[in-house]
Amino acid sequence: MITVTVTNQKGGVGKTSTAHALITGLYAYGYKVLAIDLDPQTNLTYTSGNFPDLPTLYDAFTGKASIQDVITKSSVGYDVTPGDISFSSADMEFTAKNKTFILKGLLEPIKENYDYCIIDTPPTLGILTINALSASDKAIIPMNADIYSAQGLSQLWSLMDSVRTYCNPNLIAAGILINRFNARSVINRQINDSIYDIAKTLKTHVFMSHIREAVAVKEVQYMQGSLFRDYPSAKVTSDYWHFIDEFLGKAVVLNTIK
């Protein structure tokens, strides 16, 4: 099982949209996929089907349920561990040193059951994000082409360096994904160039695929569906296909976003 964390401490950069597109795209390709919702806002849980009466990942974290008890089937078909608003107090509740590896321990007995595990994280650099990175092989960093997103990248990079040093030396950055990109916007293009410069300094990769803003993304979230099933011909679906193919190492011929 390849475990991938989608993370950025800045809110509103499309973490859940990226995680959901990656999950549903890999599932559409025929991979066995497990979705992990570590965000107390539980947006990925809702988009996956909303499971109000089932045990949550928080129950597994606190030892009240096993990971097998928590896994359920999403409305699209992939497996998901529902999140929980109780995670909002995680930084106070899970403070001991060994709490860094709770998620890694939970995933250990099921890693032969899946090809990919995709983790959605909260917009913080706290214990939940550290748990996710400690359990992961790769991290994907969604960003908007705006100055605040660019400014926050160094903080996230510092955390990832610490995780590599103390928790998970095998963690790699799969790359930065630029969301809500508008090629007609001069400032978008200028900041996009700045992000490439920052990425070069940090010795990481920016995905060639950029994701345009589209109503279809919000509609799929509301319908608890999948872009690849429900909007196969949408331009934004094509953007995400290109991103997923890049992630998988496939050759990609990009369409220009207009």
Side-chain angles (χ1 to χ4, degrees), residues 4 10 39 61 98 111 145 148 165 213 230 252:
V4 183
K10 188 177 185 303
D39 189 344
F61 259 65
N98 62 348
K111 65 182 183 180
Y148 297 136
T165 300
E213 185 143 24
D230 303 319
V252 178

Side-chain angles (χ1 to χ4, degrees), residues 94-131:
F94 307 115
T95 55
K97 185 177 180 180
N98 62 348
K99 300 299 184 181
T100 301
F101 300 103
I102 296 175
L103 183 59
K104 184 176 181 179
L106 290 174
L107 295 178
E108 188 65 28
I110 60 169
K111 65 182 183 180
E112 301 299 326
N113 299 344
Y114 299 96
D115 299 307
Y116 287 94
C117 172
I118 310 300
I119 307 171
D120 189 26
T121 57
T124 66
L125 299 181
I127 190 64
L128 294 176
T129 299
I130 293 171
N131 258 268

Side-chain angles (χ1 to χ4, degrees), residues 21-22 24-30 209 211 226-229 231-248 250-252 254:
L22 183 58
T24 51
L26 291 171
Y27 181 75
Y29 262 139
S209 312
I211 311 300
S226 162
L227 281 170
F228 309 99
R229 182 191 67 187
Y231 293 91
S233 300
K235 290 181 178 179
V236 71
T237 306
S238 178
D239 295 342
Y240 276 120
W241 271 135
H242 290 143
F243 156 61
I244 292 167
D245 283 346
E246 269 194 88
F247 171 75
L248 293 173
K250 298 183 178 183
V252 178
L254 296 176

